[in-house]
Amino acid sequence: MNLSFFDQFSSPNLFGIPLILLSLLFPALLFPSPNNRWINNRLSTIQTWLLHLITKQLMVPLNKNGHKWAMMFTSLMIMLLTINLLGLLPYTFTPTTQLSMNMALAFPLWLATLLTGLRNQPSASLAHLLPEGTPTPLIPALILIETTSLLIRRLALGVRLTANLTAGHLLIQLISTASIALVPTLPAVSILTMIILLLLTILEVAVAMVQAYVFVLLLSLDLQENI
Amino acid sequence: MAGVTGPLLNARRDAPFLPRASQRQPICLSRGSGRSARAGAVGLEWFPELRPNYQALSAFAERPFQGEPGVATKTPEGNFSEGQRGPLAERRLMDVRLGELPTWLATRDFSPRGLLGGVQKAWNSYCNKYINVKKGGAAGVSMLLAGYCILSYGWSYQHIKCNRWRKYH
């Protein structure tokens, strides 16, 4: 019964090759590598404009050392954006609905920012664990709490992306099933449901873009603290 | 400007109408006597096609620039166009007639390198036809996305076909 609703999140195999490989490699085909022409084709122009917009937005709050992370953040942003948006097409598979992939992205990147901070300015990084003005007896407990919250925030970074996309896909499938089931019996209600489905799809497109942005933004904020 | 007409006749095969003084320099920066008329063309050195030794780093190697293809004004002999004559091994897929297809396939190179070259050529042809044009539209990318959807459907068909007779979804 309900097994079918969650089937969209299991990676299908063909001759042992999982579809997730194709889903991860396909975005590379959609972005042509920019060449040295003065006026490019339209796709390259749009892509360059988008890259400039993203890079400016992410790099403005960072200092000069943080600009070394520009390529990492921008490519991460583009990849997440493309994967999320491609997942809204029919029959496609979204790799970012898999918790394993999101945690594999979130944890190492956050750890990299933390280790950068500990290496370059260790005392300032450790000082983030203790808010100002804490009464002295509370210090040990508060350090433990702050460390836990730091770890949980990173966990939340990965889980947030998974949960948002999974919930969106599930809702789309549920409502579309409902509207198809209602068409023979109550067509008016079915049309209403289809309008809701349309609005939901628009929301999903927005969510896909926003979630990618939020992911990268939080990482860049971490970097800002630690660099 | 008499020195310009000489190199025009000795040009390379893929840029017959661009004058060239040496292999290593971009065309417009070639040194010659009395080139004051060419001083204004300095900005052209950024075009990769004008540098013969330009090595692109992308995985999909670009075809060398061949200029604007001329419009054919002659009627081809025997109703066969230029690409459909000549030895079988040198023709492209679209120029091969149906009866010659098995023979043509036998002449193809099926080593990994040959297959990769074929894939690169096909991808470049697709890009040059639909994406690298002056007024490209949504069609180029939409066909890629549609192909991706169909491929995903085929990939998961074995799993999806169980949904056909399921009573409760």
Side-chain angles (χ1 to χ4, degrees):
Chain A
M1 295 191 300
N2 274 340
L3 201 57
S4 173
F5 279 135
F6 288 96
D7 279 348
Q8 58 180 317
F9 301 125
S10 63
S11 171
N13 281 349
L14 190 67
F15 305 123
I17 306 173
L19 184 57
I20 192 169
L21 271 179
L22 183 75
S23 314
L24 284 173
L25 294 173
F26 183 69
L29 284 182
L30 295 175
F31 291 98
S33 45
N35 44 17
N36 272 347
R37 289 174 178 265
W38 182 40
I39 298 181
N40 270 322
N41 54 49
R42 284 180 175 181
L43 190 62
S44 291
T45 314
I46 293 175
Q47 174 192 334
T48 318
W49 167 80
L50 186 69
L51 279 173
H52 284 168
L53 185 72
I54 291 172
T55 315
K56 260 191 310 190
Q57 184 74 14
L58 288 174
M59 293 296 126
V60 154
L62 294 174
N63 61 8
K64 202 136 187 243
N65 277 339
H67 291 172
K68 290 184 212 164
W69 288 68
M71 182 153 134
M72 166 73 89
F73 281 155
T74 315
S75 53
L76 184 67
M77 172 85 178
I78 294 280
M79 184 186 94
L80 287 177
L81 197 65
T82 321
I83 286 182
N84 291 351
L85 286 173
L86 280 177
L88 290 171
L89 293 171
Y91 296 117
T92 49
F93 177 72
T94 322
T96 39
T97 51
Q98 308 297 310
L99 189 63
S100 53
M101 168 153 161
N102 293 344
M103 296 309 287
L105 281 175
F107 247 91
L109 285 171
W110 161 70
L111 210 55
T113 60
L114 182 71
L115 290 175
T116 314
L118 281 176
R119 192 182 129 197
N120 294 341
Q121 34 184 23
S123 45
S125 297
L126 287 173
H128 280 128
L129 289 177
L130 194 65
E132 277 186 30
T134 324
T136 322
L138 275 179
I139 289 179
L142 213 54
I143 289 186
L144 283 173
I145 292 175
E146 285 289 323
T147 317
T148 318
S149 93
L150 198 68
L151 289 172
I152 292 283
R153 264 164 52 198
R154 298 316 126 214
L155 209 71
L157 191 65
V159 171
R160 183 184 302 112
L161 191 55
T162 313
N164 270 296
L165 286 171
T166 317
H169 284 210
L170 216 55
L171 264 178
I172 286 180
Q173 188 161 5
L174 280 168
I175 296 186
S176 58
T177 313
S179 59
I180 286 184
L182 281 173
V183 157
T185 48
L186 296 163
V189 179
S190 171
I191 291 176
L192 196 67
T193 322
M194 281 189 210
I195 294 175
I196 296 179
L197 186 62
L198 182 70
L199 294 174
L200 186 66
T201 312
I202 297 173
L203 175 71
E204 276 311 303
V205 170
V207 162
M209 295 195 280
V210 160
Q211 284 305 315
Y213 175 63
V214 158
F215 192 92
V216 180
L217 184 70
L218 289 175
L219 277 177
S220 76
L221 285 177
D222 272 339
L223 189 64
Q224 213 175 321
E225 283 181 357
N226 281 328
I227 200 109
Chain B
M1 296 297 276
V4 178
T5 53
L8 266 175
L9 302 173
N10 301 330
R12 256 175 53 173
R13 51 173 172 79
D14 56 349
F17 45 86
L18 295 172
R20 185 93 37 107
S22 70
Q23 283 286 330
R24 296 216 168 260
Q25 287 169 354
I27 293 168
C28 50
L29 289 186
S30 54
R31 313 228 192 303
S33 57
R35 294 272 174 169
S36 57
R38 289 213 160 257
V42 164
L44 289 175
E45 71 242 34
W46 290 110
F47 285 96
E49 293 86 16
L50 299 179
R51 285 188 177 273
N53 293 329
Y54 175 69
Q55 298 284 338
L57 286 178
S58 60
F60 297 106
E62 290 264 327
R63 220 167 28 150
F65 181 61
Q66 296 188 359
E68 291 294 320
V71 179
T73 49
K74 288 193 304 186
T75 315
E77 296 167 4
N79 284 340
F80 290 139
S81 72
E82 192 63 47
Q84 286 180 353
R85 285 176 276 166
L88 195 57
E90 287 178 2
R91 291 197 225 161
R92 309 174 66 135
L93 178 61
M94 288 296 132
D95 292 329
V96 170
R97 293 184 281 282
L98 203 55
E100 295 171 348
L101 193 60
T103 327
W104 180 81
L105 278 176
T107 63
R108 289 292 101 191
D109 178 16
F110 284 115
S111 66
R113 195 174 178 168
L115 283 174
L116 185 67
V119 166
Q120 277 187 351
K121 231 162 111 179
W123 176 249
N124 286 335
S125 314
Y126 180 83
C127 279
N128 288 341
K129 184 161 184 199
Y130 290 108
I131 299 180
N132 281 343
V133 289
K134 223 189 251 181
K135 285 192 166 192
V141 180
S142 310
M143 280 197 284
L144 281 176
L145 296 177
Y148 176 56
C149 289
I150 293 172
L151 192 64
S152 303
Y153 178 71
W155 212 280
S156 42
Y157 179 68
Q158 291 295 326
H159 191 79
I160 291 177
K161 77 178 181 184
C162 301
N163 286 343
R164 232 186 291 164
W165 297 114
R166 203 188 290 263
K167 186 165 181 192
Y168 298 112
H169 280 97

